[in-house]
Amino acid sequence: MLQGRWGPRDLIGAGLGWLAGLALLHRCERLPTPAEHLMLLVAVVVTVAWARRRWWGRAFIAALLAFWSAGWRAEQRLSHELAPAWEVRDLVLTGRIDSLPVAVTGQGGVPGWRFEFALETVGEAGTALPPQVPPRLMLLLYDGPAVMAGERWRFTARLKRAHGLMNPGGFDAELWLFEQGLRATGVVRVAQRLQAAPAWSLDAARQRLRLAINTHVPDPAMAGVLAALSLGDQNAIGNADWALFRDTGVAHLLSVSGLHVTLFAWLAAVLVGPVWRRLPWLCLRLPAPTVARWTGVLAALGYALFSGWGVPAQRTVLMLAAVAALRSLQLRWPWPLLLLGAAVVVTALDPWALLQPGFWLSFGAVGLLMAAGDDHSRSWAERLQAALRTQLIATVGLAPLSLICFSQLSVVGLLANLVAIPLVSFVLTPLALAGGLATPLWTLAAWLSQGLMAWLRWLADWPLAVWWLPAAPVWAQGLGLLGAVLMILRLPRRLRFAGLLMTLPLLWPAVPRPAPGEFELLAPDVGQGNAVLVRTHGHALLFDTGPVYAPGADAGERVLLPVLRGLGVRRLDLLMLSHRDIDHVGGAATLMRALSVTRLSSSLEDEHPLLRAAPAQQRCEAGQAWAWDGVRFEVLHPTPAHYGRGLKPNDLSCVLRITAASGRRALLAGDLEAEQERALTRREPDLRAEVLLVPHHGSKTSSSAELLAAVRPAVALVQAGYRSRFGHPAPPVLARYQAAGIEVVSTPACGAWRWTSEHGAAGCERAQSRRYWHDSVLPSVSPVLMGPALEPPAASWPEDVSP
């Protein structure tokens, strides 16, 4: 093709056009209509007729085809939606376990399993119309029998649409579900095993190996590491260990990365080549080098499939196959074209791979190493120097990508990887794979893994081991990436120094702040709970910290820390916990460990453990007031007399009023109930506020008519869970707000909600960041649909790791 009608410029243009078409589609709020599809088809035909032989015409055609084909596939995937009428109703589902079950822990420490379920039939639901249920589901089974991949089961389950939390810089659960083809989630209520897994099931074989690892390695953390290296089962690694790997910059090694796949292919080629050469009659038919190369490719393909077929494994298999094919054809393609071809093939198989950080980190690492040039070292000293240079290139070159994808940079990553890369790639991974044949090797691998973990913990304890930075604008991200490329290339020092200067806007981004005298209110989407961030020009206050989703997973870790770090908030001047309920204080311990908290104010009892962790704390009492940057803060409830009366925690909720210099106000009411609301209205002559945090998430016991008449808010914010099992917000309460002419905003429908006092402007994260895969059906508040189904715990979502 390079010597024919398609030159390098044509191939590169077509490849970049393909990727640009996919990127454009993934920025769309909705998919093309049938009329727009027809216009795309006409555009393709016109371009083919007019400019098909020009490189830019071929690039345009590739972009249109990518946009159209991915859009059509997305439409097919979105067509399998769960009808809202069938949410949280008992449905009888028959099908097959379609993934490795992941052990999870629910509320109260109840053990369970999360797994993908391939639906075969839907049983009777007691109505004349058949349920509309997607063919693939994500189910949670708590306190039930163990499930095995490949088994057939009949479940009675309650389903919900593919709906997740929506926060700036947060994990997009709806995108993850869409990529996996899972259009509904649910909780199993009754389970019945119908048939064991067939012997040929690949997932069943993977699970048997995982069970064997868990049996022979008693330490769950070490067993998780071995399962991740051999099976690609990243969910086997706990949240705390993933945090350690991310903070030390070695998370990319704990997935089945390109280096692991390449090593496996090399071992297969080394074993097959000498054997083939000893059989002359075979060598006469096929040369031994050709057989060794293609055996390595097939071995890499088998390992990649067995380990879950992740993006780094896909990229590596395609690269190995391309190199083998080119050598067999005696062709030499330039490395950018080879890398671009692999990216096109990967995204043709999975158009949504382009949205994964692992895709960019994986291809970025390979591209940087290729661009830096080959080292032809011979002595051990030269090889060691080359290895150090390679590690330095990867660390410096991928630093901007890490900042863009994860808003963090591991300062100790270079030292950590110097030990981790050779140990994991050349020792632990082969031992993890060979342990299936000789189980004592797993014991040795676990012992070495413990040593690696000790080394990483020591590095993570260094001061400033992890550098967290706020989100940078798009122009700074692009400039930083270009600067990193200039720094690692073999260029004159002046150009390299220019590359360093280009990264400065990414390393020190300007953080927008409210003007003096004004404040910003941000209510993240935390599910069933409260958490509100208040920022002035130079201070930050957090009112409540959201719920605990499961042991080891809370809103502090999953939602609030990413939001705070994305905004550049390194210190909380005041953490106010309205009362002791777990949906209000669930993330407090995590935040106090991860951030500097100057002062804690709460209505917690004196013996509460959170008070012992606070550096300075006081009771919130009516009459307390202070000013930050021209903004006035006042505590309105409880009074000192309320303490010691044996009141319910809800009745002791701290109530905070914030007043800007412009006169606009916000009132945060915690879980205050009707009786105390009425007492507050009698005690405070002027409760007027533009924004009201709806008391008790819209419960029937709160939002009294007296409070609404006194506050007269323009907007009332409800923080509650999607399809809340408590029925929040209650329909009678919503009717009360509607009758008073008050606009009600709920976080399940809005996502994170932001309001500024300067202009009174508000915005919803779902509206501002909407993409075509996001749930567009607003949650109903009809009591008929409010069942006791549980929210899938945040711990059930997978960790997103580097290549």
Side-chain angles (χ1 to χ4, degrees):
M1 293 180 71
L2 287 175
Q3 298 172 356
R5 296 181 178 179
W6 285 68
R9 186 171 60 176
D10 300 289
L11 293 174
I12 293 175
L16 293 178
W18 175 273
L19 297 179
L22 292 179
L24 179 61
L25 177 72
H26 297 334
R27 296 292 299 175
C28 292
E29 295 183 8
R30 59 171 180 82
L31 293 175
T33 63
E36 291 167 340
H37 275 299
L38 181 60
M39 293 174 59
L40 288 173
L41 181 59
V42 171
V44 170
V45 173
V46 170
T47 308
V48 169
W50 180 48
R52 66 180 183 274
R53 294 189 178 181
R54 295 180 173 88
W55 70 268
W56 55 267
R58 289 168 173 170
F60 186 65
I61 292 171
L64 290 176
L65 289 176
F67 189 92
W68 174 81
S69 62
W72 179 79
R73 291 175 63 179
E75 283 183 352
Q76 301 305 307
R77 189 164 290 188
L78 289 175
S79 65
H80 301 296
E81 297 281 1
L82 177 68
W86 295 107
E87 288 192 277
V88 293
R89 289 189 175 184
D90 285 345
L91 298 175
V92 180
L93 312 173
T94 303
R96 174 175 50 84
I97 309 297
D98 201 33
S99 69
L100 280 181
V102 177
V104 296
T105 306
Q107 295 283 1
V110 178
W113 300 94
R114 190 197 82 216
F115 52 88
E116 298 172 18
F117 190 67
L119 186 66
E120 296 173 358
T121 62
V122 182
E124 294 293 331
T127 64
L129 295 175
Q132 300 173 13
V133 179
R136 297 189 74 246
L137 311 167
M138 188 189 78
L139 298 181
L140 288 158
L141 171 61
Y142 291 116
D143 198 20
V147 294
M148 294 284 291
E151 293 180 333
R152 291 184 69 250
W153 283 76
R154 178 176 293 119
F155 296 127
T156 299
R158 290 186 172 181
L159 303 181
K160 296 182 181 181
R161 294 171 60 84
H163 189 99
L165 306 180
M166 184 67 66
N167 293 290
F171 173 62
D172 192 342
E174 293 177 29
L175 172 60
W176 181 81
L177 290 169
F178 177 79
E179 288 175 338
Q180 305 301 315
L182 304 169
R183 302 308 303 142
T185 65
V187 176
V188 174
R189 299 167 64 83
V190 180
Q192 177 187 1
R193 183 184 283 108
L194 300 179
Q195 185 179 348
W200 46 263
S201 171
L202 180 61
D203 282 338
R206 296 177 67 207
Q207 186 164 1
R208 286 193 293 269
L209 184 58
R210 188 177 71 176
L211 291 174
I213 292 175
N214 293 338
T215 301
H216 289 87
V217 180
D219 188 341
M222 300 306 103
V225 170
L226 299 185
L229 293 176
S230 58
L231 300 171
D233 183 13
Q234 299 170 17
N235 293 293
I237 298 178
N239 295 335
D241 290 336
W242 270 125
L244 175 64
F245 297 145
R246 284 196 303 268
D247 291 348
T248 53
V250 301
H252 61 99
L253 295 174
L254 276 301
S255 62
V256 176
S257 67
L259 186 59
H260 301 153
V261 176
T262 304
L263 176 63
F264 197 79
W266 176 79
L267 290 173
V270 167
L271 293 175
V272 170
V275 175
W276 196 269
R277 291 188 184 93
R278 293 179 179 274
L279 302 173
W281 60 277
L282 288 177
C283 287
L284 292 176
R285 296 176 182 271
L286 284 174
T290 301
V291 173
R293 279 196 297 268
W294 286 105
T295 301
V297 172
L298 292 176
L301 176 62
Y303 176 41
L305 289 172
F306 192 73
S307 61
W309 194 240
V311 170
Q314 293 177 34
R315 183 261 304 161
T316 305
V317 171
L318 292 172
M319 290 285 291
L320 291 173
V323 171
L326 291 174
R327 290 197 174 183
S328 297
L329 296 173
Q330 298 183 352
L331 297 175
R332 291 182 178 273
W333 277 21
W335 69 264
L337 190 58
L338 191 62
L339 194 65
L340 181 60
V344 169
V345 175
V346 168
T347 53
L349 296 174
D350 179 12
W352 301 282
L354 204 65
L355 298 169
Q356 301 176 13
F359 175 89
W360 296 101
L361 291 167
S362 178
F363 278 87
V366 175
L368 287 170
L369 295 178
M370 287 180 169
D374 296 329
D375 282 289
H376 303 285
S377 307
R378 291 295 178 263
S379 67
W380 283 106
E382 291 176 339
R383 290 178 181 177
L384 179 60
Q385 184 178 2
L388 291 173
R389 179 176 178 272
T390 298
Q391 181 57 46
L392 182 61
I393 289 173
T395 301
V396 174
L398 292 180
L401 269 176
S402 298
L403 285 174
I404 293 170
C405 295
F406 308 115
S407 298
Q408 73 175 81
L409 181 64
S410 176
V411 179
V412 298
L414 179 61
L415 291 176
N417 278 285
L418 284 176
V419 174
I421 287 179
L423 180 60
V424 172
S425 301
F426 300 106
V427 181
L428 291 182
T429 300
L431 289 177
L433 292 169
L437 303 175
T439 54
L441 295 178
W442 282 335
T443 304
L444 175 60
W447 181 78
L448 293 173
S449 298
Q450 289 177 340
L452 175 63
M453 297 288 281
W455 163 251
L456 297 179
R457 291 191 185 98
W458 181 69
L459 290 176
D461 289 337
W462 286 18
L464 301 177
V466 183
W467 193 6
W468 295 94
L469 289 173
V474 175
W475 66 266
Q477 296 176 6
L479 199 64
L481 292 176
L482 180 58
V485 172
L486 292 178
M487 283 192 292
I488 61 96
L489 292 178
R490 297 179 182 273
L491 296 173
R493 291 183 179 179
R494 291 182 179 180
L495 289 178
R496 291 188 176 187
F497 181 71
L500 177 61
L501 295 179
M502 292 167 67
T503 63
L504 293 181
L506 181 63
L507 297 176
W508 282 278
V511 180
R513 301 179 185 277
E518 304 296 338
F519 68 93
E520 176 190 74
L521 188 147
L522 175 64
D525 185 6
V526 295
Q528 185 63 39
N530 273 155
V532 178
L533 174 67
V534 182
R535 289 198 307 156
T536 66
H537 184 71
H539 294 79
L541 177 150
L542 185 64
F543 185 88
D544 285 339
T545 59
V548 169
Y549 303 118
D554 55 60
E557 174 198 6
R558 299 281 173 166
V559 177
L560 299 178
L561 277 178
V563 168
L564 292 170
R565 286 166 173 165
L567 293 173
V569 177
R570 299 177 178 272
R571 183 189 74 254
L572 289 175
D573 297 283
L574 178 63
L575 174 60
M576 180 170 286
L577 303 177
S578 63
H579 62 296
R580 62 166 298 155
D581 285 358
I582 197 63
D583 59 333
H584 292 253
V585 302
T590 298
L591 288 173
M592 286 193 286
R593 287 193 299 267
L595 291 177
S596 173
V597 177
T598 303
R599 187 161 51 96
L600 172 67
S601 177
S602 73
S603 63
L604 302 177
E605 63 273 19
D606 293 339
E607 63 274 11
H608 198 284
L610 286 175
L611 298 182
R612 294 195 293 270
Q617 58 88 21
Q618 67 180 31
R619 280 181 172 178
C620 59
E621 295 181 352
Q624 294 173 345
W626 65 96
W628 287 339
D629 309 311
V631 178
R632 181 171 175 80
F633 295 79
E634 300 169 272
V635 178
L636 306 182
H637 186 86
T639 66
H642 283 125
Y643 290 100
R645 289 186 181 179
L647 297 177
K648 294 188 304 182
N650 286 355
D651 290 332
L652 286 175
S653 289
C654 305
V655 176
L656 180 66
R657 180 169 62 191
I658 310 117
T659 306
S662 60
R664 291 190 176 92
R665 290 175 171 178
L667 185 67
L668 311 181
D671 276 1
L672 204 64
E673 297 194 355
E675 181 181 350
Q676 296 302 326
E677 289 176 356
R678 297 186 185 99
L680 178 61
T681 60
R682 293 191 296 269
R683 195 167 60 245
E684 290 291 332
D686 182 13
L687 282 176
R688 179 187 52 83
E690 279 70 23
V691 175
L692 171 66
L693 178 63
V694 173
H696 204 180
H697 322 285
S699 167
K700 295 178 182 179
T701 62
S702 301
S703 296
S704 61
E706 292 85 350
L707 179 70
L708 300 189
V711 179
R712 302 191 303 278
V715 180
L717 174 67
V718 178
Q719 285 186 302
Y722 177 74
R723 298 292 187 190
S724 167
R725 63 192 178 103
F726 303 105
H728 295 158
V733 173
L734 289 175
R736 200 175 302 147
Y737 280 93
Q738 184 179 8
I742 301 170
E743 178 188 0
V744 177
V745 176
S746 65
T747 50
C750 174
W753 185 73
R754 190 190 304 261
W755 181 84
T756 58
S757 66
E758 186 172 4
H759 305 291
C764 289
E765 183 67 19
R766 280 193 177 275
Q768 296 172 351
S769 303
R770 179 171 296 283
R771 298 293 180 264
Y772 62 83
W773 57 80
H774 289 148
D775 188 11
S776 59
V777 178
L778 298 180
S780 171
V781 294
S782 171
V784 175
L785 299 181
M786 293 300 178
L790 297 175
E791 292 281 343
S796 66
W797 303 121
E799 292 288 338
D800 191 5
V801 296
S802 311

